[in-house]
Amino acid sequence: MTPYERVRKSRELTAATFPLPSVLDCIRYAITELAEYDDALLRQERTGDKRNNDKAHDPRSELGQCGYMLLSAALQLNGTPQMDVAQREAPHEWEGGERLAYYIALLSDLADLMLNVWCNYDLLALYDCERAYATWWHLCDAHGWDVDAVVDEACVKFERKHAAVQEGAQ
């Protein structure tokens, strides 16, 4: 099952209690999750800073939620996203400024997607979504995280929270 198919299944399981936001709002949520990912990294890297540490801050989980929202947007765009692993560049070693470059590229891709969603350019939006997903994939890969597992973990988290509520209401 591809990450796209896994998120579609998760959205079906949680539909009654976890409504699917609009494409634009999914992108906005993806941006907030990306910022939470970076916040979690800052907490790990700068342990001496004075921060509100009232909850666990896990970069992998936050990046997974970013991908979940990005794929939630993709579900609503016309056409099936063509996000084949074979089209991506080969994995490479993590280097000092690489995360920042991916982070900026992903933000740029998400901004392009927002613009094309606002302007209702479906084909451009689908292209930007694919580009954003590929950048997100590279960011996961740069950490050495398996993309399928990262997406599945995010789906399981949302399903535990929202599908359980749905089942309990029946």
Side-chain angles (χ1 to χ4, degrees):
M1 179 178 304
T2 68
Y4 177 80
E5 293 164 340
R6 180 63 180 97
V7 170
R8 180 178 32 206
K9 177 183 173 188
S10 181
R11 283 296 183 177
E12 290 168 0
L13 291 171
T14 61
T17 57
F18 189 43
L20 181 61
S22 68
V23 174
L24 180 60
D25 288 342
C26 285
I27 298 310
R28 294 172 68 201
Y29 282 121
I31 291 169
T32 63
E33 296 299 342
L34 186 61
E36 289 178 15
Y37 153 80
D38 202 37
D39 177 65
L41 288 175
L42 274 171
R43 290 171 188 278
Q44 288 180 352
E45 294 163 7
R46 299 185 50 90
T47 57
D49 288 354
K50 301 293 183 204
R51 303 291 305 262
N52 180 357
N53 291 312
D54 61 341
K55 69 172 192 164
H57 301 275
D58 178 20
R60 181 181 169 119
S61 176
E62 301 299 348
L63 198 56
Q65 291 173 50
C66 174
Y68 185 92
M69 294 313 298
L70 180 58
L71 289 168
S72 293
L75 290 172
Q76 301 175 71
L77 296 171
N78 293 335
T80 304
Q82 301 299 314
M83 299 185 234
D84 186 13
V85 175
Q87 296 173 346
R88 301 185 196 121
E89 298 171 11
H92 48 273
E93 295 298 316
W94 186 269
E95 296 175 12
E98 194 167 48
R99 183 186 75 238
L100 179 60
Y102 284 131
Y103 184 80
I104 291 169
L106 182 51
L107 282 174
S108 174
D109 292 342
L110 291 172
D112 285 347
L113 179 54
M114 285 176 69
L115 177 65
N116 287 320
V117 168
W118 270 324
C119 297
N120 200 25
Y121 296 126
D122 289 345
L123 289 177
L124 283 173
L126 183 59
Y127 170 77
D128 289 332
C129 193
E130 292 172 355
R131 200 176 69 201
Y133 178 79
T135 304
W136 175 86
W137 188 93
H138 283 297
L139 193 52
C140 288
D141 185 63
H143 282 287
W145 299 336
D146 178 76
V147 170
D148 291 343
V150 169
V151 169
D152 187 59
E153 291 162 13
C155 290
V156 167
K157 182 176 182 177
F158 285 118
E159 290 161 12
R160 273 194 202 124
K161 185 174 182 180
H162 300 289
V165 172
Q166 184 176 339
E167 291 169 6
Q170 295 177 352

